[in-house]
Amino acid sequence: MQPYDIIIVGAGGGGMYAAMEALQTNPKLKIAVVSKVYPTRSHTSAAQGGVNAALANRHKDDTIDLHIFDTIKGSDYLADQDAATILCEMAPYVVRELENLGAPFSRLEDGTIAQRPFGGAQKYRCCYCADRTGHTILTTLFEQCLRQGVHFLSEYYLLSLEHDGQKAQGVVVMNMQTGKIEALPARSVILATGGYAKMYWQKSSNAAGSTGDGIAAALRAGLAVEDMEFVQFHPTGLRKSGLLISEGARGEGGYLVNNKGERFMKTYAPEKMELGPRDLVSRSIEIEINEGRGFDSDAGQYMHLDLRHLGADLILERLPQIRMLAIDFEGVDPIKEPIPIRPTAHYSMGGIDANNDGATAIQGIYAVGECSCISVHGANRLGGNSLLDILVFGKLAGRHAAQLAPSLNPGAISTSAVEKSLKEIEGYSHHDRTERYGELRDELGKTLGANAGIYRTKKKLEKGVEDIMAIKERFKNVRVNDSSAVFNTNLFQVLELKNMIALAETVARGALAREESRGSHSREDFPVRDDEKWHKHSIFHMNEKGDITLSTKPVTMGKYPLQARTY
Ligand SMILES: Cc1cc2nc3c(=O)[nH]c(=O)nc-3n(C[C@H](O)[C@H](O)[C@H](O)COP(=O)(O)OP(=O)(O)OC[C@H]3O[C@@H](n4cnc5c(N)ncnc54)[C@H](O)[C@@H]3O)c2cc1C
């Protein structure tokens, strides 16, 4: 088979922007986008609140510098400042490019793109399409990719990433419709497979498919992954399902209220109130609940998000989707009643270690979007900066890969790579196997929630690691009961679980090692940020036996010195 010039794994915003840019850079290239779900079902479509860019449409004094500073402060000074600078400098360009491609942004009276306030930002900077921003961006990009002739391999599952130690060779995938395993040789591979917060299972805002597959494939292929211990908990997930109620709801003026009827954020962020950064607001909710000021229910303790004072007109115009989510999943109409919420695992700051072009240590292999750690979000991402991240670095990686690919010779993917996957998959249906997928998945989610959640201690994390290692051992005996070759969802769930277990181990081990509190990582036993010992990135590798090893690398600083982080 003739190699592809570029294979992009992932059809979310990151993957599709990369595909579009790569084809624009060199229209002669043969490019394919591989995705385990139909492209428009990628998690990007669930993004609600918006994308940040210092357009200064609402606040005329907003600047790119302020955006850079907010991003670095939000990251608790762990973001690489050169990368954060690129992110914010390119923001106005990519948002306007999207607008020109047809993304229907909400408008101000003067016809310019509407902007709303978002957590941790000094100015109104978040550009939005009502509360369906991700959906509109994703469909716009899909249309453009189809128009330009990007080839989509929808419902193909990535099994392994292949390279010869120096350069990319391609990927091994399974055609989910037929069960056939195929080697797809490529000069260049861009991983854009999204995040891993679904490992928290019932306590996650993520799509079922956000299981970190690309990051786990990179780990197994010997690549470095970075800062995995930093998992963002979004303050406002629905009480029962963990589904997201966008920060846009607080951006538009929603209040967080405890069982005493108090807007409790005045205790924790007197200036920014509900629009403090996510790590701070989530911790505040936890404290209120732990101190007995939460509401009780069978689904656990929760808080109120009150939008009633915003009025029906505003809610229907700017927050229609979250209203429907509250009605469908909690039976509560936000026009008439407060929404029951609690923090929910939402975003993976960690991911595949990549440079400012999205390039990894292996020539021709790139990582962009939520599966990458470039690192622009450091220890805590600001709302509206992830859609931005996938667009900016999707674009840069697509361009870089398109320029480099023609000079690379991929060689062949060895038949043993395909045979290895085949053997593994056949093994899962062996009748001696007794462990059930559902049990292991639930136990993984529970131990992560209990032991590697918002507040962490040495004792809890040690228990977390112990539990994860036990689950990893039991996984060796997991059985796929469905023997069908056609859409064997049981098999894909098991493969996803394998990936989540590998990444859960990095989360818990990284959190145990990091004896400080920074951004989303709050250690009750080390409550203070320790710049002397821990102002550095965590780096994880997997050795041939499957064990995780841990090292560190320095943070790239720039013109913003370390400061205390208050709001
Ligand atoms: C509910 C919700 C709301 C959000 N709201 C906002 C917001 O308002 N603003 C903001 O900035 N950010 C927001 N975020 C974060 C942001 O949407 C995501 O970080 C971002 O969209 C991720 O995009 P991506 O391109 O990296 O990956 P995704 O959109 O997650 O796409 C991943 C792709 O990889 C493919 N894939 C994965 N594994 C495999 C495999 N094994 N084989 C083949 N294909 C595979 C999938 O099929 C999919 O196409 C939100 C996130 C959530 C969950």
Side-chain angles (χ1 to χ4, degrees):
M1 171 181 194
Q2 275 294 331
Y4 284 95
D5 293 302
I6 306 176
I7 286 184
I8 297 162
V9 189
M16 290 217 257
Y17 222 96
M20 191 178 77
E21 182 72 17
L23 260 192
Q24 274 169 10
T25 306
N26 183 348
K28 293 204 191 94
L29 296 182
K30 189 177 160 198
I31 297 178
V33 175
V34 170
S35 176
K36 68 178 174 181
V37 299
Y38 190 74
T40 46
R41 294 184 60 219
S42 304
H43 190 64
T44 298
S45 69
Q48 302 169 351
V51 49
N52 294 334
L55 299 179
N57 291 349
R58 279 287 286 279
H59 281 156
K60 301 295 173 206
D61 57 347
D62 194 16
T63 63
I64 288 171
D65 266 348
L66 285 177
H67 188 186
I68 299 171
F69 175 71
D70 288 345
T71 301
I72 290 166
K73 180 179 174 187
S75 82
D76 221 344
Y77 296 88
L78 196 71
D80 287 331
Q81 296 195 8
D82 55 345
T85 303
I86 295 172
L87 177 85
C88 304
E89 280 178 353
M90 281 191 63
Y93 180 85
V94 291
V95 168
R96 292 204 178 100
E97 184 169 66
L98 269 180
E99 182 192 28
N100 291 341
L101 291 172
F105 283 100
S106 296
R107 300 279 157 183
L108 298 175
E109 294 273 293
D110 65 2
T112 56
I113 293 176
Q115 297 188 282
R116 57 166 53 124
F118 242 47
Q122 298 174 65
K123 303 289 169 190
Y124 287 23
R125 190 181 293 140
C126 193
C127 310
Y128 59 93
C129 317
D131 59 357
R132 298 191 179 99
T133 314
H135 175 75
T136 50
I137 289 179
L138 197 66
T139 40
T140 304
L141 291 175
F142 190 42
E143 284 163 12
Q144 292 299 325
C145 284
L146 290 176
R147 179 171 150 247
Q148 290 183 24
V150 173
H151 180 52
F152 282 91
L153 293 167
S154 296
E155 294 168 336
Y156 277 71
Y157 186 94
L158 170 74
L159 293 170
S160 69
L161 173 65
E162 301 297 326
H163 61 80
D164 63 8
Q166 259 128 38
K167 58 181 181 351
Q169 291 176 313
V171 290
V172 175
V173 295
M174 179 182 266
N175 179 338
M176 299 168 76
Q177 298 174 23
T178 61
K180 186 166 174 243
I181 297 178
E182 294 174 36
L184 301 179
R187 296 175 209 283
S188 184
V189 176
I190 302 178
L191 294 169
T193 48
Y196 50 87
K198 193 63 194 176
M199 64 167 75
Y200 287 77
W201 207 248
Q202 290 291 340
K203 289 195 168 143
S204 171
S205 70
N206 279 202
S210 297
T211 51
D213 301 349
I215 308 175
L219 254 186
R220 284 189 202 101
L223 292 173
V225 309
E226 182 175 346
D227 290 344
M228 297 294 285
E229 63 272 35
F230 296 105
V231 177
Q232 176 166 83
F233 283 79
H234 192 294
T236 58
L238 287 178
R239 165 187 54 180
K240 291 183 200 151
S241 57
L243 289 177
L244 193 75
I245 297 296
S246 165
E247 194 163 294
R250 282 170 289 136
E252 295 296 347
Y255 299 154
L256 287 170
V257 181
N258 65 17
N259 70 10
K260 306 244 174 307
E262 295 160 344
R263 281 178 71 190
F264 58 86
M265 281 311 298
K266 65 176 187 288
T267 317
Y268 308 95
E271 267 183 47
K272 303 253 23 143
M273 293 292 286
E274 281 85 358
L275 287 177
R278 290 178 179 172
D279 55 341
L280 178 65
V281 182
S282 289
R283 278 197 294 275
S284 310
I285 295 176
E286 283 275 294
I287 296 173
E288 289 290 304
I289 287 179
N290 290 342
E291 294 183 354
R293 293 186 290 279
F295 297 89
D296 253 334
S297 80
D298 291 347
Q301 297 259 320
Y302 65 94
M303 285 287 157
H304 276 162
L305 172 63
D306 198 345
L307 307 184
R308 287 173 297 181
H309 55 287
L310 302 179
D313 289 350
L314 186 144
I315 293 174
L316 292 172
E317 185 201 324
R318 297 198 203 153
L319 303 167
Q321 178 176 220
I322 61 147
R323 173 169 178 256
M324 289 321 296
L325 286 172
I327 292 173
D328 291 346
F329 291 92
E330 289 286 349
V332 161
D333 183 348
I335 293 175
K336 299 184 197 131
E337 289 165 274
I339 312 173
I341 56 91
R342 61 171 166 79
T344 185
H346 179 60
Y347 183 79
S348 324
M349 265 76 73
I352 302 161
D353 182 12
N355 73 12
N356 295 345
D357 291 314
T360 67
I362 300 287
Q363 204 181 27
I365 297 186
Y366 298 79
V368 294
E370 199 173 332
C371 74
S372 70
C373 182
I374 286 191
S375 124
V376 288
H377 310 299
N380 173 63
R381 167 177 79 84
L382 292 188
N385 265 359
S386 173
L387 286 178
L388 181 59
D389 170 10
I390 65 178
L391 300 174
V392 167
F393 292 101
K395 186 177 179 75
L396 293 178
R399 188 187 298 164
H400 199 269
Q403 285 162 349
L404 187 70
S407 69
L408 297 176
N409 176 2
I413 295 178
S414 73
T415 45
S416 65
V418 176
E419 278 158 15
K420 195 171 157 210
S421 284
L422 194 60
K423 198 166 155 219
E424 176 191 335
I425 286 166
E426 281 173 358
Y428 288 128
S429 16
H430 201 278
H431 57 267
D432 281 353
R433 290 172 163 250
T434 49
E435 292 288 355
R436 294 167 65 92
Y437 152 77
E439 259 174 44
L440 296 185
R441 176 202 72 198
D442 287 351
E443 283 181 32
L444 184 71
K446 273 196 195 119
T447 189
L448 282 168
N451 298 311
I454 295 177
Y455 278 109
R456 301 160 168 191
T457 61
K458 180 166 191 269
K459 201 167 154 221
K460 283 191 199 172
L461 288 162
E462 280 174 347
K463 171 81 170 85
V465 172
E466 191 188 313
D467 289 351
I468 294 162
M469 297 315 283
I471 294 168
K472 188 174 170 182
E473 196 51 38
R474 286 172 60 195
F475 181 85
K476 292 181 183 159
N477 203 15
V478 75
R479 171 142 193 226
V480 172
N481 292 307
D482 184 350
S483 57
S484 163
V486 179
F487 270 114
N488 188 337
T489 45
N490 190 195
L491 170 65
F492 298 114
Q493 286 170 328
V494 163
L495 292 170
E496 289 171 344
L497 178 63
K498 179 178 81 166
N499 295 332
M500 289 192 285
I501 296 171
L503 300 189
E505 186 181 341
T506 63
V507 171
R509 286 197 190 280
L512 182 59
R514 186 173 282 274
E515 296 186 329
E516 66 158 353
S517 289
R518 184 185 296 273
S520 66
H521 172 68
S522 304
R523 287 281 301 254
E524 283 176 289
D525 42 356
F526 295 93
V528 184
R529 194 176 85 193
D530 183 348
D531 289 325
E532 209 169 299
K533 289 211 195 91
W534 281 105
H535 186 235
K536 50 193 179 186
H537 297 293
S538 307
I539 296 289
F540 304 81
H541 278 97
M542 185 183 269
N543 67 20
E544 283 185 355
K545 286 191 289 179
D547 301 329
I548 301 293
T549 60
L550 191 52
S551 56
T552 60
K553 80 168 190 184
V555 177
T556 307
M557 294 297 278
K559 67 178 179 185
Y560 300 99
L562 287 161
Q563 286 176 36
R565 182 169 169 254
T566 50
Y567 286 93

